[in-house]
């Protein structure tokens, strides 16, 4: 019966992408008239930024495109060539799906439209309204090209309604939360605490946004802030490759490593990192996804950015934006330590069933039998 199957292709390329699609294979199996393949562009390629997630979460891509490491614009061009070739020579989908807002998302979206393949965007409608972020450009273009717009939070619906967008909008919830929900037992049994001898009370920190790490001055401020935090709590910092490269370039790695009471690690696998999020006293980050995961866990999260495309994490959740300012961050940490930080709730439909909803819509409306 396979010749009747309708074909779906998901394109991923970066760490957060892998984490947003873990439940698709299971859900699609419920519908025998659907078939799914996953392609990985190779944008993220280190074991700890890529393979570890397939091993842990069990969603191994069917195709690896392995684009070379070149400048952003050139990389997008090369991805487009490789994706087009995959579709022409190996797998012609009836629907393409892209998650998130990274360069791989944009490249795949452009190929879908060029090849006249209907496109669905997961995590559609998020807007930071900050055009200096490459991700904002990627989101807006992807949404303008997609026919099916799957939205994680209320703001996405409003944003899309204010734009010229021809797509069908579905508020389905957050597939990144599906992954936490599904793997919570494994997260709980992570051995990271003993592996790194992490204290009972600790803070977790990640930073990788170009606005924070690509200039020496901002990196220096980050190091001062880490030093201030470490004076009162152990700080665990899984270092993103972009940040590590920047610290090396500006010769700042020794100053970071010299701080007492911190634990610097390579990027962590999913279960270990989620354990940190769940158990941390607080989180300092500039990540997109971690704002949502902290909200889901109800853990105080300070996000070192001027804006967020995920306002539900602030309005409903436990996230707060902070400038890269020593005194302001110190004040928030004091509030957390004194139990004065706000409490939060889970946004609507962040219940572990977003992928199930998306696949049901695909199976019964978009690619109905
Ligand atoms: C990308 C996304 C960003 C997302 C982040 C998630 C774009 C424009 N940016 O940023 O939105 O928040 O991923 O982590 O798509 N590198 C390695 N090993 C790897 C991956 C990257 O060494 O496995 C190096 C690259 O060679 C490059 C730097 O890190 O020098 C940045 O990688 P890149 O994929 O361009 O952007 P990210 O900063 O990872
Ligand atoms: N993450 C992880 N290991 C780490 C750091 C992050 O598994 O060492 C996970 C994190 O829990 C979230 C995703 O990676 O699910 C977020 O990726 P990142 O912060 O790189 O990207 P962004 O969300 O900012 O695009």
């Amino acid at each position: 019966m396979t010749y009747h199957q309708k074909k779906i292709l998901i394109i991923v390329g970066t760490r957060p992408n892998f984490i947003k699609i873990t439940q698709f294979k299971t859900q699609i199996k419920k519908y025998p008239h659907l078939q799914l393949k996953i392609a990985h562009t190779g944008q993220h390629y280190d074991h700890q930024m890529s393979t570890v997630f397939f091993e842990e979460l069990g969603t191994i891509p069917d195709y690896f495109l392995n684009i070379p490491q070149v400048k952003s614009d050139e990389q997008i061009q090369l991805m487009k060539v490789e994706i087009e070739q995959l579709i022409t020579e190996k797998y012609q989908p009836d629907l393409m799906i892209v998650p998130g807002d990274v360069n791989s998302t944009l490249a795949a979206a452009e190929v879908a439209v060029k090849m006249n393949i209907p496109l669905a965007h997961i995590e559609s409608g998020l807007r930071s309204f900050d055009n200096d972020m490459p991700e904002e450009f990627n989101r807006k273009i992807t949404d303008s090209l997609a026919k099916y717009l799957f939205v994680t939070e209320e703001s996405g619906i409003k944003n899309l309604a204010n734009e010229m967008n021809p797509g069908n909008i579905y508020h389905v919830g957050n597939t990144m939360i599906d992954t936490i929900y599904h793997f919570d037992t494994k997260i709980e049994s992570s051995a990271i605490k003993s592996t790194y001898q992490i204290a009972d009370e600790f803070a977790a920190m990640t930073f990788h946004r170009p606005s924070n790490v690509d200039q020496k001055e901002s990196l220096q401020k980050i190091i001062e802030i880490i030093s201030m935090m470490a004076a009162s709590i152990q700080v665990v910092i899984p270092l993103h490759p972009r940040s590590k490269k920047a610290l090396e370039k500006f010769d700042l790695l020794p100053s970071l490593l010299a701080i007492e009471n911190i634990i610097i690690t390579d990027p962590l696998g999913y279960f270990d990192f989620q354990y940190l999020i769940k158990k941390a006293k607080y989180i300092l980050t500039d990540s997109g996804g971690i704002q949502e995961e902290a909200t889901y866990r109800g853990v105080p999260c300070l996000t070192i950015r001027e804006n967020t495309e995920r306002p539900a994490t602030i309005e409903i959740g436990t996230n707060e934006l902070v400038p890269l300012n020593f005194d302001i961050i110190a004040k928030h940490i004091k509030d957390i330590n004194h139990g004065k930080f706000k409490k939060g709730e889970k946004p609507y439909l962040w219940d572990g069933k977003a992928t199930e909803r998306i696949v049901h819509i695909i199976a019964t409306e978009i690619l109905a039998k």
Side-chain angles (χ1 to χ4, degrees), residues 13-14 41-45 66-83 102-104 106-108 242:
T14 64
T41 61
Q43 183 177 343
H44 282 179
Y45 48 90
N66 289 323
I67 41 113
Q69 288 313 303
V70 286
K71 281 206 312 284
S72 207
D73 292 351
E74 209 181 321
Q75 199 181 46
I76 294 173
Q77 282 311 320
L78 292 170
M79 285 181 201
K80 283 162 65 175
V81 172
E82 292 277 333
I83 297 167
V102 299
N103 285 347
S104 302
L106 177 67
R242 181 185 202 104

Side-chain angles (χ1 to χ4, degrees), residues 1-253:
M1 296 290 280
T2 48
Y3 60 91
H4 279 314
Q5 281 185 320
K6 298 195 176 167
K7 294 179 178 172
I8 301 168
L9 177 63
I10 298 183
I11 306 267
V12 289
T14 64
R15 172 166 75 184
N17 289 166
F18 311 139
I19 293 165
K20 287 167 193 166
I21 59 140
T22 66
Q23 301 309 301
F24 275 87
K25 285 210 163 162
T26 316
Q27 288 301 326
I28 280 179
K29 277 201 193 110
K30 289 186 187 168
Y31 302 94
H33 75 287
L34 297 182
Q35 186 195 124
L36 169 67
K37 301 265 188 216
I38 297 171
H40 177 6
T41 61
Q43 183 177 343
H44 282 179
Y45 48 90
D46 290 344
H47 178 271
Q48 284 303 108
M49 294 296 287
S50 173
T51 320
V52 67
F53 299 103
F54 310 135
E55 289 171 355
E56 288 188 345
L57 307 172
T59 303
I60 300 166
D62 302 278
Y63 305 108
F64 289 87
L65 307 181
N66 289 323
I67 41 113
Q69 288 313 303
V70 286
K71 281 206 312 284
S72 207
D73 292 351
E74 209 181 321
Q75 199 181 46
I76 294 173
Q77 282 311 320
L78 292 170
M79 285 181 201
K80 283 162 65 175
V81 172
E82 292 277 333
I83 297 167
E84 194 168 333
Q85 198 175 346
L86 168 73
I87 293 170
T88 312
E89 295 175 7
K90 295 192 178 144
Y91 188 75
Q92 292 87 41
D94 300 293
L95 176 71
M96 277 172 73
I97 303 180
V98 290
D101 54 17
V102 299
N103 285 347
S104 302
T105 312
L106 177 67
E110 289 185 351
V111 173
V113 171
K114 182 177 170 202
M115 300 186 83
N116 211 13
I117 300 164
L119 176 71
H121 185 204
I122 296 172
E123 206 184 81
S124 179
L126 296 183
R127 297 289 180 267
S128 66
F129 302 101
D130 176 353
N131 289 326
D132 290 337
M133 290 180 78
E135 294 84 356
E136 183 73 355
F137 179 79
N138 294 346
R139 288 179 205 117
K140 286 205 279 202
I141 302 290
T142 303
D143 280 338
S144 73
L145 300 176
K147 193 161 175 196
Y148 307 104
L149 305 158
F150 293 115
V151 174
T152 53
E153 62 165 89
E154 202 74 47
S155 72
I157 299 182
K158 289 195 196 114
N159 294 334
L160 290 170
N162 288 333
E163 291 173 13
M164 293 288 288
N165 201 296
N168 300 332
I169 303 168
Y170 305 90
H171 189 176
V172 288
N174 192 326
T175 63
M176 197 171 214
I177 300 304
D178 293 0
T179 305
I180 302 191
Y181 184 87
H182 193 82
F183 288 101
D184 202 30
T185 313
K186 298 254 182 161
I187 292 166
E188 196 57 51
S189 38
S190 154
I192 185 161
K193 238 179 134 207
S194 58
T195 310
Y196 289 97
Q197 299 184 332
I198 297 171
D200 284 341
E201 197 173 78
F202 66 90
M205 173 166 190
T206 75
F207 54 103
H208 72 277
R209 292 256 95 78
S211 55
N212 284 331
V213 307
D214 285 2
Q215 311 78 26
K216 188 170 187 181
E217 298 69 34
S218 48
L219 268 182
Q220 277 168 328
K221 282 190 194 168
I222 285 180
I223 291 173
E224 284 167 22
I225 288 163
I226 293 172
S227 187
M228 174 265 289
M229 289 161 70
S232 62
I233 195 165
Q234 188 181 62
V235 188
V236 187
I237 311 170
L239 209 49
H240 191 284
R242 181 185 202 104
S243 314
K244 187 172 182 198
K245 283 183 181 174
L247 286 160
E248 284 166 348
K249 178 176 158 195
F250 298 123
D251 200 20
L252 287 171
L253 200 50

